[in-house]
Amino acid sequence: MAQPDAAEPDAAAPDAAAPDAAAPDVLDLWDRSVRDHAARPALVTPHRELSYRDADRLTDGWAAGLAARGAGPGKLVGLAFGDPARTVLGMLAALKAGAGFTVLDDRLPPAARAALVDRTAAAVWLGDGGHAPQGAYAPAGPDTAAGAAAPAAARPARTAGRSDVAYVLFTSGSTGRPKGTVVGRDALRRFASAVAERLGLTPHDRWLQVASLGFDVVIEEVFPAFAAGAAVVCREDTRALDAEELHAALDRTRTTMVELSTQYWLEYARWLTAHGTATPAALRTVVVGGERMDPRPYRAWQARQPAALAHVYGLTECTVSSTFYTGLLPSDAEEVPLGTPLRDVEISIRRGGRPVPDGETGEIHIGGPLLARGFLDDEAATARRFVADPYAAEPGARLYVTGDLGRIDADGQLVFLGRVDDQVKIRGHRLEPARVERALCELPGVDQAVVFPDPASGTALWAFIVPTDPAAAPLPGEAVRLTGGDRDALVAPLEAQLPDWAVPRVLHRVAVLPKNAHGKVDKRLLSAWAAAARAGRPAGAPVPDPAAAPSREPVEPPEPVLALFREVLGVPALGPDDNFFDHGGQSLLAMRLLARLRESDPAAAGLRASALFASPTPRLLAGALAERRASRR
């Protein structure tokens, strides 16, 4: 059952003409921190620390500008900054103007960005990033002379009520159309308070913002910290940090809290172990979630690292995280629990809509006031997933049907047991594989397709396609791995419409999609066919032409680099001219490869994972390392 609300801070003077304006608001949490911790840092950027007083003054001015341009209750402000700090300030300014906000991820391909701009129909776009829509408003920021000298502007009078929109963020949809989740101001207020309470945040905490700005985790990185009077620490830009850079940033900024996706955390844990080092002294908690957790690395971390772990579970539709596990994992635990619900969150396990006793398996349902209002302009999807609770004591109570299987264990902890449907998690992002499969089947020459995470790491997508021309299909029972132009012809159109993490990086051609006894595609058998293909050089791969080798000299023999490529990608037959990204490489594996290189080769010091885009083969990367060595002589 949900716990009663804690005492609320003093509300700002309401607008008497506004309905619901006297109710507690998410901005009350901010105003309390401004009042009680005015001189403490609210936002830490690479260039300066912005106090609560200064951030409040600056965002009041931004809010006035937004209101003058049409922002207000029931409207959205679009944020399209390349700078995380300005994005955070834009969130505050939108809420102060009475509007909600949405964030346009700068890593989305242009077509996907344009589609989201159209769908949100934002009253105002705020931003100065290269991906900002034409005509976006770009106010003076905290790091400019104009921003520092701008005269104080009065915050618009409060007109928004608790049910008005606070933000809209997008998740994958099986139809190919991302779902916009609409979260209300009261849900955001309650969430921020509950997380601050559960994690014991204080004004002395500093939370490093590392999530993609279009990902709902950014909400958890920002608003609980502000509710506690803590500081949000922002990066220079939105580029992903590899494990070494993350460690340096945590140490340099004296960060106390950070949230990482499961796979990102595993990369950081591997880096710490490889370097025989510990988490920085100031770091007290690492929040981890997004995918099923293996108990072994979790226990290993708890045995070796001083920073505590908090394992979280939640969905965008339920305001980010709903449960937290912060205990010491028992030695015999077969699963890392998802924990117990936050204040104001109700968790139940149901079969056929009926609650089942603790210990029994069923579908996880989430209820309480943290539920989103629904999906943007999609009443049918809202009705399917947000359902009435016939067993609730209060009339009108709703539940969100998660599609996740789970149970409540003997200690009252929620345990995740898989998915009811085919939805998967890739690097912390939810994905409906049908969305990618549909996009593949729309391409010329593709009759059928199935997409699923690679069985070994779960960090990249595999795709198996059946060609429309039977003559182009391999023999039954074989999988031909696509390379070169064949692969590019399928990947390039997907890259133009899907985020990077949703694009399959390993593609195979098969004669048929085999079925199991239940009539579903047999993914285990497809994986076995792929393993057989991987045992030798991928079918169809071009034979390297020595005359076409890079002309730059000297080029170090690529054997040491080649061995690391093979190890990280799990492709023993990989050749010196095979492309990292053609064989399942993606950002997290690139981080791992570069980390391993830095351990053995001084020339790789300071080399970012993005170097693989310029030198994606073992031969090219070995040549780049040779050039770095020569330049240092």
Side-chain angles (χ1 to χ4, degrees), residues 65-79:
L66 291 173
R69 289 167 173 80
K75 301 290 183 66
L76 284 177
V77 170
L79 303 177

Side-chain angles (χ1 to χ4, degrees), residues 162-210:
R162 66 168 66 194
S163 62
D164 279 315
V165 58
Y167 65 84
V168 174
L169 292 180
F170 289 85
T171 58
S172 170
S174 58
T175 63
R177 187 173 186 255
K179 295 183 295 185
T181 301
V182 183
V183 174
R185 296 174 76 99
D186 190 55
L188 178 57
R189 173 186 66 86
R190 291 173 183 268
F191 168 76
S193 292
V195 173
E197 174 188 90
R198 180 62 65 93
L199 294 177
L201 299 181
T202 75
H204 299 286
D205 279 308
R206 299 162 72 93
W207 196 314
L208 180 63
Q209 194 285 307
V210 296

Side-chain angles (χ1 to χ4, degrees), residues 65-380:
L66 291 173
R69 289 167 173 80
K75 301 290 183 66
L76 284 177
V77 170
L79 303 177
F81 291 103
D83 173 8
R86 292 192 186 210
T87 302
V88 172
L89 292 169
M91 293 175 180
L92 275 173
L95 292 170
K96 287 183 173 186
F101 61 83
T102 191
V103 182
L104 191 61
D105 193 332
D106 62 350
R107 295 182 295 181
L108 286 176
R113 290 203 306 264
L116 290 189
V117 169
D118 287 341
R119 284 190 61 198
T120 55
V124 189
W125 276 96
L126 190 64
D128 57 5
H131 62 301
Q134 187 173 9
Y137 166 48
D143 299 322
T144 66
R155 181 191 307 183
R158 180 183 296 183
T159 55
R162 66 168 66 194
S163 62
D164 279 315
V165 58
Y167 65 84
V168 174
L169 292 180
F170 289 85
T171 58
S172 170
S174 58
T175 63
R177 187 173 186 255
K179 295 183 295 185
T181 301
V182 183
V183 174
R185 296 174 76 99
D186 190 55
L188 178 57
R189 173 186 66 86
R190 291 173 183 268
F191 168 76
S193 292
V195 173
E197 174 188 90
R198 180 62 65 93
L199 294 177
L201 299 181
T202 75
H204 299 286
D205 279 308
R206 299 162 72 93
W207 196 314
L208 180 63
Q209 194 285 307
V210 296
S212 164
L213 297 179
F215 192 23
D216 68 349
V217 171
V218 71
I219 303 298
E220 191 156 73
E221 295 173 320
V222 170
F223 289 95
F226 286 162
V232 176
V233 180
C234 290
R235 300 162 288 153
E236 180 82 40
D237 51 39
T238 60
R239 292 179 303 164
L241 304 174
D242 66 24
E244 184 176 358
E245 292 169 325
L246 172 67
H247 186 74
L250 292 169
D251 191 27
R252 182 180 65 253
T253 60
R254 305 186 309 282
T255 289
T256 65
M257 306 288 303
V258 68
E259 182 159 1
L260 307 175
S261 69
T262 305
Q263 293 299 329
Y264 192 5
W265 170 77
L266 285 169
E267 289 301 317
Y268 183 43
R270 288 189 186 101
W271 185 88
L272 290 171
T273 299
H275 287 76
T277 191
T279 51
L283 185 66
R284 68 176 183 89
T285 302
V286 180
V287 182
V288 182
E291 298 169 59
R292 194 170 192 168
M293 173 68 74
D294 183 341
R296 290 171 296 178
Y298 202 87
R299 273 193 287 265
W301 176 286
Q302 290 188 321
R304 299 172 189 163
Q305 297 299 337
L309 289 175
H311 192 218
V312 299
Y313 165 77
L315 300 98
T316 305
E317 295 87 347
C318 305
T319 314
V320 199
S321 296
S322 296
T323 66
F324 279 66
Y325 175 72
T326 55
L328 189 64
L329 190 65
S331 60
D332 60 347
E334 297 180 355
E335 295 285 344
V336 180
L338 301 178
T340 56
L342 292 174
R343 174 167 50 89
D344 285 330
V345 173
E346 300 169 3
I347 299 289
S348 60
I349 308 298
R350 305 190 180 204
R351 283 200 299 268
R354 288 178 168 273
V356 301
D358 288 356
E360 293 192 16
T361 300
E363 188 170 6
I364 301 171
H365 289 61
I366 301 177
L370 267 63
L371 293 192
R373 286 171 34 181
F375 298 119
L376 183 67
D377 298 330
D378 196 338
E379 294 181 4

